[in-house]
Amino acid sequence: MRHLLLVCAAVLLLAGCSTGPSLEQRGEVTAPPGDSHRLTIGSAGFTESDLLAQMYAQLLDHAGYRTSVLTVSNRELYEPALESGQIDVVPEYAATFADWLNAKAHGAHAPPVGSPDLDATMTALRRLATPRGLTVLPPGRAVDQNAFAVSAAYARRHHLKTLSDLGRSGLEVRLAAGDECVERPYCEPGLKKTYGIDITAVDPKGVGTTQAKRAVQNGQDHLVLTTTTDATLADFGLVLLADDKHLQNADYLVPVVNRARAGAPGVTRALGRLNTVLTTADLASMDQQVDSWRRLAQDVAHTYLKKNGLLG
């Protein structure tokens, strides 16, 4: 039986969270993994995280566990709760979570460990997660990375399919993105260094916002920073340009579990079934159903799992 708990309840629950195993207790993470049959699934509160949490919960329910879903929109709260066992499972993004744990362990200015190389990213992530009593389960095919889009008309006019094509074109490009784009290596500096794209200005309209996409649609800007699971691009007449030189980090979806409570093979098997079917396009479609069609995340998740034979 699942229960959707509100953020306010999450704040009350997590107010006393510890930051995970103490230094004296870190050696205990090598103990045999636990198998609690009452599991709390964490969601970060945005559409995609809600969908993944609901799919995790339904898969675990089907495998004989009893689950509840807890929404906590702040990683600074839900990650310590995961360490302490107040949350048992969360959907995460490999490179982003690796860099977050790395900054937590070594300071905000520590060199990033996430990279476009999935194997290297997973190795770094597991090295950082294990001492905290966390187990990172295998990634599937679905990835939610930063991505860049142009209008379909602009792409046709200049024969663009990849970011390399845009760099070779020599076009002056106005980029709609977040304020931080001017400093982030995956954004303006990376586009210039990796692809040779002539970014003349960054229009601070946010990442994948309606305002940013409209600015590219109407020609005010030429390129917009969004994500690979943005299912609304066609509504604005936009198309993604392929990241053919792999500028973006390997933000593949990975379940992260509290080893002492959810590290047993039963959880791994249940969640691993999703890896056999879930794709980036599937995620984009489900995001659209929730955001544009106003369907409930729980219902969309259930329909997807049933359709793909994961609840049968």
Side-chain angles (χ1 to χ4, degrees), residues 12 17 36 90 131 147 177 185 213 271 287:
L12 290 173
C17 279
S36 172
V90 295
K213 284 181 277 198
L271 299 182
D287 286 347

Side-chain angles (χ1 to χ4, degrees), residues 132-156:
R132 296 184 175 277
L134 307 180
T135 297
V136 183
L137 303 186
R141 293 178 289 166
V143 57
D144 189 351
Q145 294 171 302
N146 294 299
F148 295 91
V150 297
S151 73
Y154 185 84
R156 286 193 300 270

Side-chain angles (χ1 to χ4, degrees), residues 18-20 76 79-80 83 99-108 132:
S18 71
T19 57
E76 282 74 13
E79 190 279 330
E83 290 188 29
D99 284 337
W100 194 87
L101 288 179
N102 190 48
K104 184 174 181 178
H106 302 116
R132 296 184 175 277

Side-chain angles (χ1 to χ4, degrees), residues 52 68 96 117 135 172 214 237 274 282 299:
L52 290 162
S68 59
T96 295
D117 185 323
T135 297
E172 293 185 346
R214 282 180 178 158
L274 194 58
D282 292 340
D299 294 341

Side-chain angles (χ1 to χ4, degrees), residues 12-301:
L12 290 173
L13 173 67
L14 303 177
C17 279
S18 71
T19 57
S22 68
L23 291 175
E24 293 80 9
Q25 296 171 321
R26 290 288 164 88
E28 297 176 10
V29 299
T30 57
D35 194 18
S36 172
H37 281 267
R38 291 179 178 268
L39 299 175
T40 300
I41 318 301
S43 167
F46 57 91
T47 297
E48 193 165 284
S49 189
D50 288 343
L51 282 163
L52 290 162
Q54 288 293 338
M55 285 191 283
Y56 289 3
Q58 292 178 37
L59 286 168
L60 289 166
D61 282 349
H62 185 69
Y65 294 87
R66 297 187 66 185
T67 66
S68 59
V69 176
L70 181 66
T71 300
V72 188
S73 58
N74 188 316
R75 188 179 275 119
E76 282 74 13
L77 284 176
Y78 76 67
E79 190 279 330
L82 182 63
E83 290 188 29
S84 68
Q86 292 177 291
I87 292 174
D88 303 304
V89 185
V90 295
E92 264 293 356
Y93 300 88
T96 295
F97 196 46
D99 284 337
W100 194 87
L101 288 179
N102 190 48
K104 184 174 181 178
H106 302 116
H109 300 292
V113 295
S115 75
D117 185 323
L118 177 59
D119 289 340
T121 296
M122 289 296 296
T123 297
L125 174 54
R126 285 173 168 148
R127 185 172 60 245
L128 289 158
T130 298
R132 296 184 175 277
L134 307 180
T135 297
V136 183
L137 303 186
R141 293 178 289 166
V143 57
D144 189 351
Q145 294 171 302
N146 294 299
F148 295 91
V150 297
S151 73
Y154 185 84
R156 286 193 300 270
R157 185 162 64 250
H158 299 290
H159 311 289
L160 307 176
K161 292 184 178 181
T162 68
L163 289 170
S164 287
D165 291 340
L166 183 56
R168 283 190 294 266
S169 73
L171 293 165
E172 293 185 346
V173 175
R174 281 180 55 89
L175 171 60
D179 291 335
E180 69 281 0
C181 178
V182 296
E183 298 177 350
R184 295 288 173 86
Y186 64 80
C187 202
E188 181 186 5
L191 291 174
K192 289 180 174 178
K193 180 179 179 180
T194 302
Y195 289 106
I197 297 172
D198 184 9
I199 306 293
T200 59
V202 173
D203 189 1
K205 285 185 163 58
V207 179
T209 63
T210 296
Q211 184 184 22
K213 284 181 277 198
R214 282 180 178 158
V216 174
Q217 181 183 35
N218 64 30
Q220 176 185 345
D221 296 323
H222 308 103
L223 187 68
V224 60
L225 172 62
T226 182
T227 66
T228 52
T229 59
D230 188 337
T232 67
L233 293 177
D235 297 339
F236 296 89
L238 306 183
V239 293
L240 290 178
L241 295 181
D243 179 22
D244 53 308
K245 292 185 179 179
H246 307 292
L247 172 63
Q248 302 305 321
N249 282 345
D251 261 330
Y252 284 76
L253 292 165
V254 291
V256 183
V257 305
N258 177 288
R259 176 183 171 87
R261 289 183 49 80
V267 172
T268 301
R269 282 195 300 269
L271 299 182
R273 299 182 68 204
L274 194 58
N275 289 350
T276 64
V277 298
L278 185 65
T279 66
T280 303
D282 292 340
L283 268 180
S285 175
M286 285 188 281
D287 286 347
Q288 183 181 39
Q289 291 176 57
V290 175
D291 290 336
S292 299
W293 304 355
R294 302 304 183 206
R295 293 189 62 197
L296 294 176
Q298 183 173 350
D299 294 341
V300 173

